Amino acid sequence: MAKPGRARGMLVSARADLCQLEGYHSPQIEVAVRLNTNESPYPPPERWRDELLEALSSVQLHRYPDRDATALREAIGDLHGVGPEQIFCANGSNEVIQSLDLAYGGPGRSVALFEPTYAMHRHIAVNTSSAVATGRRQEDFSLDLSEIARVARESQPALTFLCSPNNPTGNADSLAEIQEAAAVVPGLLVVDEAYGQFAPRSALPLVAAGSPLVVLRTFSKTWALAGLRLGYLVGPAEVVKSLERVALPYHLDAVKQVAGKLALSYSAEMQERVSLIAEQRDKLMAALDELPVRYWHSDANFILFRPERVEGHKVWEMLLDRSVLIRDCSSWPGLQGCLRVTVGTPDENSVFLNALEDCIL
Ligand code: PMP
């Protein structure tokens, strides 16, 4: 095992195998139009804000929060028609992923994923010393069941991650494919549905006691609450129990618990936002039809595209010069020359489209 080295007068060196996150993080640059991190372009409802401020006045901040986050988990469970024992909450769904890797991955175990997909599935696996077994999606980014079977057979993963709709490609997997994948993987199948409410189908109905399938959701996208840092898992109660064993004591602060529960009583307003964004997404795709770009159909709140006449990274830079920030995926595995744009407000989308035309026509 590698020993922590310490040259004279130096701090101890960190593990050399830790993931370099610089390559992943989206730059936080001040721009007029920010369409790079798939957030909601709309703030949460004003009434939610007012109610939250009022509710906070009775939160006892000198006390630790409810360690089990019971009220919040009950409310999320009600939303999905399951009990609180089937819900695990954490500080964003990234922390749910980390908890899964800590509980089920780690040294001597492997985590499977299918590229191109959400980069943090790999990063967090590496950082928890899990081996990563990499498979590929098909050319059109749909799942390749024989590839899933191959990776499962060769690597016997303790965890297999799917992402539906898949970030950054935008396509949602079919339920039949997800079911078939669950049948061939030896460990837990994790379906990351960070963008689930934008999609025409969800794997949530496949969650059942004794079935090795869990679904991840977040408040960061459809619930317009990326700043709150709240995500959760819906799965069998025994999985939730295992995750509780690796969660830090009181990891969900009292403010988050109140704010998250309150947000759930605004589901009609949130749904309205989802519909508006989905409508804008479809308009954006129709506009891209008229431009020299290839794009992939999206079931999410972002669109992956590849400019045909000008190199992708160059277009990203030219857009930035016009104060429009999107995501540069051009160097990601299997995505040569590709860019990803988050669906914004109608105004933001038209600024983006005008700037894009300016760059590529
Ligand atoms: N899963 C996917 C597929 C994502 O795109 C993201 C956000 N980029 C997350 C999980 C993490 O979201 P959060 O930690 O904000 O819940």
Side-chain angles (χ1 to χ4, degrees):
M1 191 189 290
K3 295 215 176 80
R6 183 157 66 152
R8 195 184 288 270
M10 296 275 284
L11 286 177
V12 63
S13 50
R15 269 171 44 205
D17 63 323
L18 289 180
C19 254
Q20 299 295 318
L21 283 171
E22 291 87 30
Y24 171 68
H25 281 310
S26 198
Q28 289 193 308
I29 305 171
E30 275 310 311
V31 283
V33 175
R34 181 190 302 276
L35 300 172
N36 64 332
T37 44
N38 301 341
E39 294 146 315
S40 166
Y42 303 108
E46 253 172 56
R47 262 195 319 121
W48 170 83
R49 222 166 246 266
D50 296 344
E51 266 198 80
L52 175 62
L53 289 178
E54 201 180 321
L56 289 182
S57 63
S58 52
V59 173
Q60 298 200 324
L61 285 174
H62 61 297
R63 297 289 183 197
Y64 282 115
D66 173 12
R67 187 167 167 170
D68 296 327
T70 312
L72 174 62
R73 287 167 62 203
E74 273 173 357
I76 295 173
D78 286 349
L79 180 73
H80 297 301
V82 299
E85 71 285 354
Q86 288 195 246
I87 305 292
F88 175 78
C89 294
N91 295 287
S93 46
N94 280 335
E95 197 184 49
V96 180
I97 296 167
Q98 180 173 273
S99 305
L100 282 162
D101 285 345
L102 287 172
Y104 291 93
R109 291 183 165 220
S110 71
V111 170
L113 45 89
F114 298 88
E115 298 279 15
T117 194
Y118 180 45
M120 291 306 290
H121 292 162
R122 173 185 299 281
H123 282 272
I124 301 172
V126 169
N127 286 350
T128 55
S129 297
S130 319
V132 178
T134 308
R136 294 207 57 79
R137 284 177 171 262
Q138 309 206 56
E139 202 63 35
D140 66 355
F141 302 133
S142 61
L143 287 178
D144 179 342
L145 288 163
S146 60
E147 175 75 341
I148 296 178
R150 178 190 69 78
V151 171
R153 195 174 53 247
E154 290 175 5
S155 308
Q156 296 294 311
L159 286 169
T160 298
F161 281 90
L162 300 180
C163 189
S164 179
N166 187 41
N167 179 9
T169 60
N171 55 307
D173 301 322
S174 79
L175 292 194
E177 286 167 332
I178 292 172
Q179 268 172 311
E180 283 191 50
V184 298
V185 300
L188 260 192
L189 182 71
V190 183
V191 186
D192 184 340
E193 290 193 353
Y195 305 95
Q197 289 104 313
F198 295 111
R201 55 192 167 271
S202 163
L204 278 167
L206 304 180
V207 172
S211 158
L213 182 141
V214 297
V215 174
L216 311 189
R217 288 273 172 113
T218 178
F219 280 62
S220 297
K221 318 291 178 184
T222 39
W223 290 92
L225 288 171
L228 192 63
R229 309 304 301 125
L230 179 59
Y232 61 93
L233 167 147
V234 186
E238 56 270 41
V239 174
V240 172
K241 278 213 180 79
S242 301
L243 298 179
E244 281 165 353
R245 290 164 71 179
V246 297
L248 295 174
Y250 315 111
H251 70 298
L252 281 185
D253 67 75
V255 174
K256 189 188 316 276
Q257 292 189 32
V258 169
K261 178 172 183 285
L262 196 57
L264 295 174
S265 56
Y266 286 85
S267 57
E269 287 84 345
M270 297 303 183
Q271 191 49 52
E272 207 179 302
R273 284 164 169 68
V274 170
S275 306
L276 270 176
I277 293 166
E279 205 177 287
Q280 285 302 311
R281 171 195 66 202
D282 295 347
K283 281 194 177 152
L284 211 44
M285 286 196 284
L288 290 178
D289 270 330
E290 307 301 316
L291 293 176
V293 300
R294 169 156 191 214
Y295 75 89
W296 285 267
H297 176 86
S298 171
D299 295 309
N301 66 335
F302 54 82
I303 301 167
L304 185 77
F305 68 99
R306 180 190 287 136
E308 284 168 349
R309 293 185 194 158
V310 187
E311 200 268 310
H313 178 69
K314 179 82 193 135
V315 173
W316 181 82
E317 284 179 334
M318 291 166 84
L319 287 170
L320 194 55
D321 287 343
R322 289 158 179 78
S323 208
V324 176
L325 179 60
I326 65 170
R327 196 66 186 262
D328 182 5
C329 316
S330 59
S331 61
W332 295 6
L335 296 177
Q336 206 192 3
C338 288
L339 303 173
R340 189 196 70 194
V341 61
T342 304
V343 179
T345 61
D347 283 352
E348 288 172 329
N349 298 337
S350 65
V351 172
F352 159 72
L353 281 170
N354 288 337
L356 183 65
E357 279 180 20
D358 214 18
C359 301
I360 63 173
L361 285 184

